[in-house]
Amino acid sequence: MKRTLRRLWRSKSAVIGGVIVLAVVLSAVLAPLVTPDDPEAMEMTDRLEGPSWRHPMGTDQFGRDLFTRVVYGARISLSVALVAVALSVVIGVGLGLLSGYYGGTLDLLVQRVVDIFLAFPVLLLAIALVAALGSSPRNVVLALGLVGWTNYARVVRVDVLALKGREFVQSARVVGASDLRLILRHILPNVVSPVLVLATLGIGYAIVAEAGLSFLGLGVQPPAPSWGWTVAFGTRFLRDAPHLSIFPGLAIMVSVVGFNLLGDGLRDLLDPRSRQR
Amino acid sequence: MLRYIAHRLLLLVPVLLGITVGVFLLLHLIPGDPAVVLLGQDANPDDIARLRRILGLDEPLVFQLGRYLARVVQGDLGVSIFQSQPVTTIVFGALPATIELAVASLVVAVLLGVSLGVLAAVRQYSPYDYGAMLVAQIGVSMPVFWLGILAILLFSVHLGWLPTFGRGEGVLAAGVDGITGDGWGALGDALRSLALPALTLGFSAAALISRMVRASVLEVLGQDFIRTARAKGLRERTVIIRHGLRSALIPVVTIVGLQFGYLLGGAIITETVFAWPGVGRLMITAIGQRDFPLVQGAVLILALLFSLVNLCIDVLYAWLNPQISYE
């Protein structure tokens, strides 16, 4: 563990990504300490002001402090992305383990379902699901979680196929370990690394997807300070107050860069085969 | 090869069936009675009953599914609630705009992605490499709608070079006009309208392609046949372009194919940003109007298109790569 952390510390992309992710997470958790303002507090006399000392990112059409809204927006983006990715991981890893371990009809069935999911562009499917379920944070999480599991299932299945023939699994079976014990105690720990890498990169993708849905008016609804919605609403004032669209978009980009760099660093560390030269 | 194509076409059948069933279930995912959801809580019970009949909701689910599949096979995707026109007519009317945008973006993505990737690989660990990979990292992390807005701010609002919204005549139609002697003005306008959306969408896809190309070129450049080519005294340029790129770009075909799906998804958002009258924008408008037959039709047609493109890419990949087995 200590060695892994030391190697992680030496990976430039992991360190930069980790610092960005930590900063975003901390500012989301400690939002009331980061900014004294209330994200909903309106000050009509200050509306559409540009960046200043008092309002570092300016104010919106209701005179609300944009910096405060961007900081509180991190809570929405991060929580939606984290829960959605957790849902994908649970579904994908579960199905990947079962279909890889048991094979046969179950495997065939899971593979066909994966094929069907892959036949939809991911965002199209998420949009269609939210359109049917209705826009709310819960449904956005559900939609993103339900469309994102296929990658995990495929990666885990391939690893399980390789692992189940290995000696340590065979010998555990000979000693009388049950299927459940074999899967959970002997196989699962060996597929954690690729899943961790995919999940880190997946959080970045989920942040962009959530922002995209909110931008289309299908995600988290106002007055919640969702980044995507704030960018979309800002386009109405693009000529006079471009900061309204620029800053929340910048927040999305920086967070995603953070998760992507951390994911790339973890991949280099945990999966040397796919290391980018 | 023909057997491989036939095999792939056969595999497509359950996938297409799955897509159609999935899209059918969309309407049935709506919590509560879809007719009430569509018309609102205060709707007149007669109207609700009539809509239930139009949507076929008064029949058992299995029966509805059978009827839906039979209609889809005949090319009938129902009638739009809001526009009172066949869904196929509306969606196929908007499809050329989406395909035009996706193809133009793909051209941008491939040109930009391959150039950046090759440059980064050939000059590994140089400022070019770091610069190209920084651009790629930013490209994959930028939401496409935000990039679009920044592009509008720069090229339309500040510089005034390109139109902000909309699409005039299609590029193809405008090109035909030019050839038949109606002047080239329409083609210029069409290309100017297409430029911002295509650059925006293409840039995001280029980022991923450039990373793949870089990795693939680096792998090929380390191989024996490249050393042999160099040992023969060939110029570095010839080694890279004639020998290296030819093998390095084979795996890139697959990622380009996958990118087409990303482009179709991204097109939905890009079309909304630039008011581009394609299937994506049509779908978002239909969602706003709760016109579910139209949403279903648009999703189904986009997914079918995506599956067919994927099939073509797989066949192309098998044809290009002599190492792949057709089994």
Side-chain angles (χ1 to χ4, degrees), chain B residues 289-321:
Chain B
Q289 295 165 339
R290 306 200 71 74
D291 188 345
F292 271 86
L294 188 51
V295 177
Q296 274 184 327
V299 174
L300 187 63
I301 288 175
L302 285 181
L304 289 181
L305 187 68
F306 180 47
S307 300
L308 288 176
V309 169
N310 272 346
L311 174 72
C312 294
I313 292 290
D314 282 356
V315 171
L316 182 67
Y317 183 70
W319 181 64
L320 280 177
N321 189 353

Side-chain angles (χ1 to χ4, degrees), chain B residues 13-191:
Chain B
V13 174
V15 170
L16 293 186
L17 190 70
I19 293 174
T20 319
V21 174
V23 169
F24 166 80
L25 288 176
L26 265 185
L27 185 66
H28 298 269
L29 271 177
I30 300 178
D33 183 347
V36 177
V37 174
L38 293 179
L39 291 175
Q41 292 291 343
D42 307 326
N44 167 343
D46 289 346
D47 289 342
I48 292 176
R50 202 154 52 93
L51 185 62
R52 285 181 63 83
R53 231 179 6 260
I54 292 174
L55 294 174
L57 294 170
D58 46 354
E59 295 161 344
L61 192 65
V62 180
F63 198 75
Q64 290 179 44
L65 175 63
R67 187 183 286 247
Y68 181 73
L69 287 176
R71 278 190 5 226
V72 169
V73 170
Q74 294 167 27
D76 175 9
L77 298 179
V79 176
S80 152
I81 297 175
F82 210 76
Q83 302 188 35
S84 307
Q85 275 188 40
V87 166
T88 41
T89 312
I90 302 171
V91 176
F92 281 118
L95 202 55
T98 298
I99 293 180
E100 183 179 288
L101 176 59
V103 171
S105 313
L106 198 62
V107 171
V108 172
V110 171
L111 287 179
L112 196 66
V114 171
S115 326
L116 274 179
V118 171
L119 180 74
V122 173
R123 302 249 186 277
Q124 194 184 8
Y125 301 135
S126 73
Y128 292 107
D129 186 14
Y130 293 126
M133 286 307 102
L134 182 72
V135 171
Q137 184 61 260
I138 291 173
V140 286
S141 309
M142 251 184 180
V144 68
F145 59 86
W146 189 58
L147 182 61
I149 289 167
L150 293 184
I152 289 175
L153 258 176
L154 180 65
F155 293 106
S156 303
V157 176
H158 281 294
L159 298 171
W161 290 353
L162 295 166
T164 317
F165 299 119
R167 171 189 190 236
E169 207 175 350
V171 169
L172 270 184
V176 171
D177 282 356
I179 292 166
T180 52
D182 288 349
W184 295 98
L187 182 63
D189 287 344
L191 286 174

Side-chain angles (χ1 to χ4, degrees), chain A residues 19-272:
Chain A
V19 169
I20 296 175
V21 168
L22 196 68
V24 175
V25 171
L26 280 180
S27 58
V29 175
L30 305 173
L33 298 177
V34 176
T35 162
D37 294 328
D38 176 350
E40 314 286 341
M42 300 186 195
E43 199 66 62
M44 291 312 267
T45 48
D46 290 349
R47 58 197 298 271
L48 295 178
E49 273 185 13
S52 62
W53 279 114
R54 170 77 189 85
H55 303 291
M57 293 185 180
T59 59
D60 69 2
Q61 67 281 10
F62 301 115
R64 294 176 296 199
D65 180 51
L66 192 60
F67 176 69
T68 305
R69 290 185 68 75
V70 167
V71 170
Y72 277 87
R75 288 184 167 188
I76 299 175
S77 285
L78 283 183
S79 49
V80 167
L82 281 174
V83 183
V85 168
L87 184 61
S88 295
V89 168
V90 170
I91 300 175
V93 172
L95 287 178
L97 283 172
L98 292 176
S99 75
Y101 186 82
Y102 288 107
T105 318
L106 178 74
D107 185 30
L108 217 67
L109 196 73
V110 171
Q111 290 316 302
R112 287 294 85 80
V113 176
V114 168
D115 283 347
I116 292 167
F117 269 81
L118 291 179
F120 289 93
V122 174
L123 196 62
L124 175 68
L125 194 55
I127 290 173
L129 278 172
V130 177
L133 295 169
S135 4
S136 72
R138 194 197 62 175
N139 291 343
V140 172
V141 165
L142 240 130
L144 294 179
L146 287 177
V147 300
W149 61 273
T150 49
N151 269 339
Y152 303 96
R154 286 201 304 178
V155 167
V156 169
R157 174 181 171 270
V158 171
D159 277 4
V160 173
L161 286 178
L163 283 166
K164 79 178 173 180
R166 294 270 295 275
E167 268 178 10
F168 70 94
V169 177
Q170 296 292 351
S171 41
R173 191 197 305 272
V174 172
V175 192
S178 65
D179 284 351
L180 189 68
R181 190 180 164 82
L182 278 178
I183 293 177
L184 293 182
R185 289 293 299 273
H186 298 276
I187 294 180
L188 182 61
N190 285 293
V191 299
V192 166
S193 300
V195 169
L196 190 67
V197 173
L198 275 181
T200 313
L201 295 169
I203 293 174
Y205 183 79
I207 291 176
V208 173
E210 184 276 321
L213 287 172
S214 299
F215 178 82
L216 294 173
L218 298 172
V220 180
Q221 299 294 307
S226 137
W227 287 342
W229 169 256
T230 313
V231 172
F233 204 80
T235 56
R236 300 182 192 185
F237 308 94
L238 209 51
R239 221 168 259 280
D240 304 319
H243 64 270
L244 268 184
S245 288
I246 292 178
F247 287 118
L250 200 63
I252 299 170
M253 192 186 82
V254 170
S255 321
V256 178
V257 165
F259 280 103
N260 283 349
L261 285 176
L262 185 61
D264 286 348
L266 283 173
R267 179 175 51 203
D268 289 353
L269 186 76
L270 301 172
D271 185 11

